[in-house]
Amino acid sequence: MAYTKRQRAKDIIDLLKQEYPDAGCSLEYDEAWKLLVSVRLAAQCTDARVNVVVEELYKKFPSIEALADASIDEIEAIVKPCGLGHSKAKDIYACMRMLRDDFGGVVPDDFDKLLSLPGVGRKSANLIMGDVFGKPAIVTDTHCIRLVNRMGLVNGIKEPKKVEMELWKIIPPEEGSDFCHRLVHHGRAVCTARTTPACDACCLKDVCKKNL
């Protein structure tokens, strides 16, 4: 009988759970709006650097209202080490103003409303839905896209939204968020991008399409 993508996905999920039982988001936050800020800063920047930079940002601007009242230049001066400083500062400023003015200072738990916020795309909205609100989510970051193609869960698809749509067909909704976090850990430690993947040491070597 053929080994289906759904069966492969289940096996991969189970094996990653054993390998990374406590995998979670590596961006540090204690309020939903802070995760929105961090995920915008994380574009083309490491999560570790973002976690350092936001400490200073929140010291000076400790709330949605404070950031909404700040100037773009003030925000940019702090977030510049994350790269693309002006663009990110502009989005953060606009996002906080919209949260304040249109959503009563509360991050919405609705996917489409999240997408309406400046600087928030599908990846960010899914991260918020999964991590903050515990709702079904699939975060198609670079690790996810690389790994699910290598593993054979999708076939040669690189566009994030298309990868997401394919994964929704085979990943149980309640598993999506944690599955994507585990892919990040696995992509950093084993199934790397810049060096040769450590297939011999991989917990998925018996189910990964790359090895079959």
Side-chain angles (χ1 to χ4, degrees), residues 31 33 64-65 96-108:
E31 295 180 73
W33 67 270
I64 290 172
E65 292 75 15
M96 295 302 115
R97 288 180 75 85
M98 193 166 173
L99 284 177
R100 182 193 67 187
D101 298 341
D102 297 346
F103 293 104
V106 177
V107 175

Side-chain angles (χ1 to χ4, degrees), residues 1 7-9 25 38 40-41 48 62 65 78 87 92 105 109 114 119-121 125 151 155 158-159 171 189 203:
M1 199 163 101
Q7 289 170 321
R8 177 176 276 125
C25 183
S38 288
R40 180 65 189 95
L41 293 176
E65 292 75 15
I78 297 173
S87 172
I92 290 168
D109 62 352
L114 285 169
V120 177
M151 294 167 180
N155 300 323
K158 299 299 171 67
E159 186 184 322
I171 303 294
C203 64

Side-chain angles (χ1 to χ4, degrees), residues 1-15 151-153 155 170 203-212:
M1 199 163 101
Y3 190 36
T4 67
K5 287 183 180 179
R6 194 181 295 273
Q7 289 170 321
R8 177 176 276 125
K10 182 185 183 304
D11 290 342
I12 288 171
I13 287 169
D14 290 344
L15 288 165
M151 294 167 180
L153 298 183
N155 300 323
I170 58 173
C203 64
L204 307 176
K205 61 185 176 183
D206 293 333
V207 298
C208 178
K209 189 177 181 181
K210 189 174 185 297
N211 281 330
L212 297 179

Side-chain angles (χ1 to χ4, degrees), residues 31-205:
E31 295 180 73
W33 67 270
K34 290 182 178 179
L35 183 55
L36 270 177
V37 170
S38 288
V39 75
R40 180 65 189 95
L41 293 176
Q44 297 180 43
C45 181
T46 65
D47 291 356
R49 176 171 288 184
V50 171
N51 289 337
V52 172
V53 168
V54 292
E55 285 187 25
E56 184 183 347
L57 185 68
Y58 301 148
K59 203 173 288 182
K60 189 167 185 180
F61 305 110
S63 65
I64 290 172
E65 292 75 15
L67 268 174
D69 288 336
S71 71
I72 294 173
D73 287 345
E74 287 177 306
I75 298 171
E76 182 180 355
I78 297 173
V79 304
K80 199 172 180 180
C82 294
L84 305 172
H86 185 72
S87 172
K88 292 178 179 179
K90 189 176 174 184
D91 282 343
I92 290 168
Y93 169 79
C95 182
M96 295 302 115
R97 288 180 75 85
M98 193 166 173
L99 284 177
R100 182 193 67 187
D101 298 341
D102 297 346
F103 293 104
V106 177
V107 175
D109 62 352
D110 176 89
F111 190 79
D112 291 328
K113 287 178 180 176
L114 285 169
L115 284 181
S116 75
L117 294 167
V120 177
R122 296 188 67 85
K123 183 176 80 170
S124 304
N126 270 301
L127 186 65
I128 298 290
M129 291 296 284
D131 276 44
V132 175
F133 300 115
K135 295 190 175 184
I138 289 177
V139 181
T140 49
D141 66 359
T142 54
H143 291 290
C144 173
I145 293 168
R146 183 177 76 255
L147 268 63
V148 297
N149 272 281
R150 281 181 179 169
M151 294 167 180
L153 298 183
V154 303
N155 300 323
I157 304 172
K158 299 299 171 67
E159 186 184 322
K161 184 178 179 181
K162 288 182 179 177
V163 172
E164 180 192 332
M165 294 303 116
E166 287 300 304
L167 291 178
W168 279 120
K169 298 174 187 176
I170 58 173
I171 303 294
E174 70 277 7
E175 298 285 3
S177 182
D178 287 342
F179 169 66
C180 292
H181 284 317
R182 291 186 174 104
L183 288 181
V184 172
H185 286 264
H186 195 62
R188 287 173 178 164
V190 180
C191 198
T192 53
R194 293 178 183 167
T195 58
T196 304
C199 295
D200 289 345
C202 180
C203 64
L204 307 176
K205 61 185 176 183

